[in-house]
Amino acid sequence: MSFTKAPFLLLGIGLLLSTPTWANIETGPTKAPSRPKNIVIMIGDGMGPSYTSAYRYYKDNPDTEEVEQTVFDRLLVGMASTYPASVSGYVTDSAAAATALATGVKSYNGAISVDTQKQPLPTILEKAKSLGLSTGVAVTSQINHATPAAFLAHNESRKNYDALALSYLETNADVFLGGGQKYFTPELLAQFKAKGYQHITRFEDLASITQPKVLGLFAEVQLPWAIDEKDAKKLSTLTQKALRLLSQNDQGFVLLVEGSLIDWAGHNNDIATAMGEMDEFSNAIEVVEQFVREHPDTLMVITADHNTGGLSIGVDGKYNWNPEILRNISASTDTLALAAISGEQWQADLARGLGFELNEEEIAKLTVARMQGLETIAVAIRHVIDKRTDTGWTTDGHTGTDVQVFAAGPASELFNGHQDNTDIANKIFSLLPKPKKPKS
C-alpha cells in the first residue's frame, strides 16, 4: 500500500468503524461491537477462485436441481491482488504472500517477514502479543513452513527451517499446532518445556490439554492428507482446540489457521486430494463461523495467499466437468500409487481405490508408469483422474490470479470489494487494541 493511498484507507476505516452497520444491530441477547476483541485469520494456501468453484460442484447433491451453496459462497465479500515486491515480478510465492498478509508490506519471494533489504517487519501476531492478546497458529503443514513462519518470525529465507523453529522460542505464542517434528530437536524441545510449553505428538493427547502454552507436533513434516483420513477432521479439531485455549484470555486473541495442503495438492496437480483438503478447510471455517455466532466480538477473515496449479474446471474444448468421480475416490493418489507399486493384484486394488474400472488404454499407460517407479505412477494416476473428470492444469507452480476474501463478524465490512493483500493486513492492524497510555 503506497503512502499516498494510506490516508484514504484510514479515513475509510474510521468512517466504517464510527458509522452504524449491520454488525451493530442487536442479534439475540448480545450486541456485536464495532471492533473485534478476537480475530481469526484463515488462509487456504493456494486456494484460487477455481478451487472454491470446484468445491461447490464437488459438494453438490446430484439428486437436487439446484447447486447448493458452500461456506465460501456464504462468506464471500471481496477479492485481493497477491503480487510480491517488484523485484520478484507479478507471481508470488507463499513466503512473500504471507509476509504481505502478516505485515502489510510487500517483499521478495522467499522472504519471511523481512523487507527487500532483509530488515525485520512487525507482524500482526507480534503486535497482538505486545498488546496483551493471546496468539497461536493451527496448520496442516509443518508449523515452521512459510505461512505460519511469516506470522511468527523473521528470516531472509523460508528454507531456513531449523533457524525458524529455533526462533519460535522468542515469539511467546500461546499455541503451536501442526506438523514438523523433524525440525524440533530434543535440545530445542527441552528449551520449549523450560519456558512452560506442553509438548505433545499424539493427536489423541490433544484432548488432555486444557491450558495455553502448547507445542503440538503431530507429524514428521505435514499432517496426513485429509482424503486418507476422511473421519479424522484434524484441522477442524486443531482449530476448535486453539479457540478454546486462546479464548481463556479476557483481553482477546489472534489466531492463524492455514489449510496448508490445498497448495501441496495443487503443486501435484492432484484434484482428488485437493478437494479433500478443501473439504477439511471448509470444516475448519465452519468451526470458526460457529464460534463467531457464539462470540459476536470475534472477527474472522479468510483468504488465499495465491493460486496454485492453474486449475481448470473443464478442459480440451469440452463443456463438462465430472466431480462425481472424485466423490468415489477413497485415498490420495500418493497412497494409491504406493499400493499399486507394492501389490500383486495392483490393477484391481487401484480400480477399487479409484471407484471405477480401468479401461485397456489406462491399464497400458499405468503398467508402463509402474515400471518407472512410485512418482511416475502417481503422476499417471492423476492423469487418469484428470481425463475422467475433464480437469485441467496450466502449471505445477503458482499463478498471478487474484484471490477471494471472505469475512464475518465485527468490522467485516472493511474487507468488502477489491483490495491488495497488504490492505488486508493493514486493516487488521487497525482493529487491534490501542496501546494503553501510561498513568501520569
Side-chain angles (χ1 to χ4, degrees), residues 18 23 45 69 79 88 114 144 189-190 201 217 230 255 260 274 326 352 357 367 382 392 400 407 419 423:
S18 60
D45 199 310
Q69 282 196 339
M79 298 290 291
S88 292
V114 296
N144 51 337
L189 291 173
T201 57
L217 304 173
K230 290 190 175 180
L255 169 65
S260 320
L326 302 176
R352 192 159 42 248
E357 292 299 320
T367 300
R382 292 165 196 154
Q419 60 223 286
D423 295 330

Side-chain angles (χ1 to χ4, degrees), residues 192-237:
F192 271 97
K193 290 176 183 177
K195 292 193 71 171
Y197 284 91
Q198 307 156 88
H199 170 232
I200 57 173
T201 57
R202 300 191 312 163
F203 204 77
E204 53 267 33
D205 290 340
L206 196 61
S208 68
I209 303 298
T210 59
Q211 297 296 321
K213 298 206 77 171
V214 58
L215 176 65
L217 304 173
F218 306 106
E220 188 74 1
V221 183
Q222 70 173 84
L223 268 59
W225 295 115
I227 194 174
D228 287 333
E229 298 184 343
K230 290 190 175 180
D231 297 323
K233 300 189 182 303
K234 287 194 170 174
L235 182 60
S236 47
T237 301

